[in-house]
Amino acid sequence: MTLTSTTLGLGTEIDSIDMISSTQGFAVVSNSTVATTNRFYLAQTRDTGTSWSLIGSLPYKPFNGPPSFSPTLNFVSASVGYVSTSSGGRVFVTNDGGRAWKPLSTPGIWPTLVVRGSSALVVSDRCTGRLPNYGPLRCPSVVSHFPVGQTTPTTTFSIPAVDHTAWRAAIALAAPAPSTLVVQESGTQPGESTHLLESSNDGATWHTLKDPCGGLLIQQLLTPSAGRWLLSCFLDGGMMQGTNQLWESVDGGRTWRLLAHSGEQRYYVGNIADTWNTLAISGNGTIFSAVGGAGGGVESSSDGRHWSPARFNPESGGAPEWIDAFGATGVMFGNQSGSVWGTFDGVTWTPLKLAAGRYRNLPICTGALDVKVSLGATRVTSGTAYTAIIFENKGRHSCYLNGTPSLQMVNGATRTPVGLPATGYSSSLQGRFTVLRAHGGIASVTLAMLRSSTIPAGSCRARRATGAVVGFNPPTSFSFSFSRHTRSVCALVSTSQVSGVVPGSAGGS
């Protein structure tokens, strides 16, 4: 079944993506609208996110209301993959591409998973007695070795407690080399000491590694190669902002070098964002970061010290974010408000939207249905020009529009893109499903354009725009020209915003 924007309900969205090649990948999808029977589902793409096929539901209980944190996918091939959660649920494996799932038989609870080659290594906690309502578990931890695709472990070994005063639950971080596993003990609460342990024989014996994070919490351990590791640490000061550090080791965690360090008020080393970040490394070694906190968006770095923002603004601040790198320069990014973007060259980002489904048995509006686009009057306030983009249904059949469209300024008859894509207004103007009745139904969005002359020349790099292309869910795409005067846009920063669609011709402002 083809996955559309309405397959699971009016809030059908992609929550995360796991690419296994440059074209093929899997996604967690859900219905974000409030309901009592929502579930997480699995979808697959074979064309790098252009289209998706719904496979079936994932093996977790229904949730009430919009999803906060979706399950994590870890596919090792088109047929074998794992799904787990950060909330202590069970780990499941599929051997038929997600059509059927079986739970892994872990000796303990709260399993965490890393997959390495032909092995899946699962750390779980053997707790006895009553579990705590809050805070880290203080239970003996074990690591179990599963052949990929199997549900029963071949070996299980204890993980020693570095802090001998109490057992503290361990978390699997990475498997950087054959038979090697790195885990974190403690450090799950601010101010606690963190311990890094490594085993080079699948858990039979362990030794401690130097942990440079101190009182900061470990976010991720990335191992682009057996010798080179990247460790990110963070301490929240409120609103997902605080102290952020990125460390590098070139000797397998024996010694560390500080690459970047930021605080809430200043940069200390490099210029990494002072937020909770999620990192991914593309095949050419570029590090990409999904920036948490109010700002959101993506940063990238070739050396871990110097960071540059991606040239698009997904308006993702505050929403849980995910990022996945694939191939030499491919990256998928999104947040759990449904916004998904992709890049194939690591520079140019494109919004990836689900194909349009039917609403009240109506199709989405297109030019083929004789829906025309025009511009309403423009008003200028404090250097920003506000113009209603009007969609009129002149056809014989009703149709609908919904959401906040993508909008790209263009130049000339060839519609060459100029400037950055428009950003979206706040969530209050995201745009609900709006029916355009036959023979005259009207809906509109508002385009807000900041005059490029108000931006310093060095931060703008002005470009001439003669029109724009507006896209809702595929296959809907409209274009228009500025009939009287061309507009000036910036190539380095976005100077335009677009609201969600509303009935009538007044736009969303």
Side-chain angles (χ1 to χ4, degrees):
M1 174 192 297
T2 299
L3 181 70
T4 74
S5 61
T6 60
T7 298
L8 305 178
L10 301 186
T12 300
E13 66 181 27
I14 292 176
D15 293 328
S16 64
I17 292 175
D18 178 33
M19 296 295 294
I20 60 173
S21 72
S22 59
T23 58
Q24 191 170 4
F26 294 85
V28 176
V29 296
S30 67
N31 176 11
S32 66
T33 55
V34 176
T36 57
T37 58
N38 287 346
R39 298 193 70 97
F40 291 109
Y41 291 81
L42 182 71
Q44 183 179 25
T45 182
R46 291 185 172 88
D47 53 14
T48 322
T50 301
S51 62
W52 294 88
S53 298
L54 187 67
I55 296 176
S57 62
L58 291 171
Y60 293 102
K61 294 180 180 179
F63 56 87
N64 295 330
S68 296
F69 293 95
S70 68
T72 298
L73 297 178
N74 194 329
F75 271 80
V76 297
S77 69
S79 57
V80 180
Y82 296 85
V83 62
S84 58
T85 71
S86 60
S87 58
R90 305 181 74 178
V91 177
F92 294 83
V93 64
T94 180
N95 287 285
D96 59 4
R99 289 163 182 81
W101 297 87
K102 294 181 179 180
L104 269 61
S105 299
T106 59
I109 63 172
W110 294 83
T112 52
L113 164 79
V114 293
V115 180
R116 182 202 60 224
S118 60
S119 301
L121 301 172
V122 179
V123 173
S124 60
D125 307 314
R126 279 180 165 161
C127 295
T128 58
R130 186 175 181 178
L131 298 178
N133 293 325
Y134 179 77
L137 297 176
R138 298 177 181 269
C139 312
S141 298
V142 296
V143 57
S144 302
H145 177 280
F146 294 79
V148 161
Q150 301 300 308
T151 59
T152 304
T154 55
T155 60
T156 294
F157 294 105
S158 296
I159 300 174
V162 177
D163 183 351
H164 293 287
T165 60
W167 287 93
R168 297 174 187 253
I171 298 171
L173 289 179
S179 302
T180 301
L181 175 66
V182 180
V183 303
Q184 167 195 343
E185 272 192 349
S186 187
T188 57
Q189 299 295 310
E192 284 190 337
S193 297
T194 306
H195 306 296
L196 290 176
L197 291 87
E198 181 186 39
S199 173
S200 58
N201 51 14
D202 285 334
T205 59
W206 297 84
H207 61 270
T208 58
L209 298 173
K210 181 178 179 180
D211 171 27
C213 291
L216 277 63
L217 305 183
I218 292 176
Q219 292 178 274
Q220 287 175 273
L221 175 62
L222 289 84
T223 55
S225 64
R228 182 172 180 252
W229 297 2
L230 294 174
L231 183 69
S232 62
C233 322
F234 180 73
L235 184 61
D236 191 7
M239 299 297 292
M240 297 179 70
Q241 290 182 280
T243 301
N244 191 21
Q245 294 180 351
L246 181 65
W247 295 82
E248 179 187 47
S249 174
V250 294
D251 55 10
R254 274 65 181 172
T255 60
W256 296 91
R257 177 173 69 103
L258 182 62
L259 293 179
H261 177 195
S262 65
E264 294 182 64
Q265 303 299 325
R266 56 171 289 193
Y267 298 123
Y268 296 98
V269 179
N271 64 332
I272 195 170
D274 62 334
T275 62
W276 180 282
N277 297 341
T278 303
L279 305 178
I281 303 178
S282 62
N284 68 353
T286 302
I287 311 168
F288 290 88
S289 171
V291 180
V298 175
E299 291 186 335
S300 64
S301 174
S302 60
D303 60 7
R305 185 179 299 269
H306 305 95
W307 293 82
S308 301
R311 295 181 58 192
F312 79 109
N313 189 340
E315 293 292 317
S316 60
E321 297 174 341
W322 54 266
I323 194 163
D324 184 64
F326 59 95
T329 56
V331 183
M332 296 284 191
F333 164 82
N335 63 78
Q336 291 178 6
S337 63
S339 173
V340 179
W341 292 72
T343 178
F344 305 103
D345 60 6
V347 177
T348 304
W349 292 80
T350 303
L352 301 176
K353 297 187 176 184
L354 293 174
R358 297 184 75 84
Y359 171 67
R360 295 181 180 175
N361 206 31
L362 298 175
I364 198 167
C365 298
T366 64
L369 294 177
D370 208 15
V371 175
K372 307 298 184 182
V373 63
S374 62
L375 298 181
T378 296
R379 60 181 177 85
V380 179
T381 303
S382 301
T384 300
Y386 297 89
T387 305
I389 304 173
I390 301 168
F391 305 91
E392 182 177 3
N393 184 3
K394 296 186 176 183
R396 298 180 298 166
H397 304 284
S398 297
C399 58
Y400 77 89
L401 291 174
N402 73 293
T404 302
S406 60
L407 188 146
Q408 175 64 61
M409 295 295 173
V410 296
N411 184 54
T414 58
R415 297 176 185 165
T416 302
V418 291
L420 300 185
T423 62
Y425 274 111
S426 64
S427 58
S428 61
L429 295 174
Q430 284 185 347
R432 298 184 177 181
F433 283 78
T434 300
V435 173
L436 282 68
R437 59 177 175 79
H439 306 295
I442 291 176
S444 58
V445 301
T446 291
L447 170 63
M449 293 190 64
L450 180 67
R451 288 180 175 174
S452 61
S453 58
T454 64
I455 307 296
S459 302
C460 175
R461 195 181 298 167
R463 295 290 185 268
R464 176 173 172 266
T466 60
V469 175
V470 183
F472 291 87
N473 291 78
T476 295
S477 180
F478 300 97
S479 62
F480 63 83
S481 299
F482 299 116
S483 56
R484 295 184 180 180
H485 304 285
T486 61
R487 306 287 178 93
S488 179
V489 299
C490 291
L492 300 181
V493 295
S494 180
T495 52
S496 56
Q497 285 186 312
V498 63
S499 74
V501 65
V502 296
S505 59
S509 60

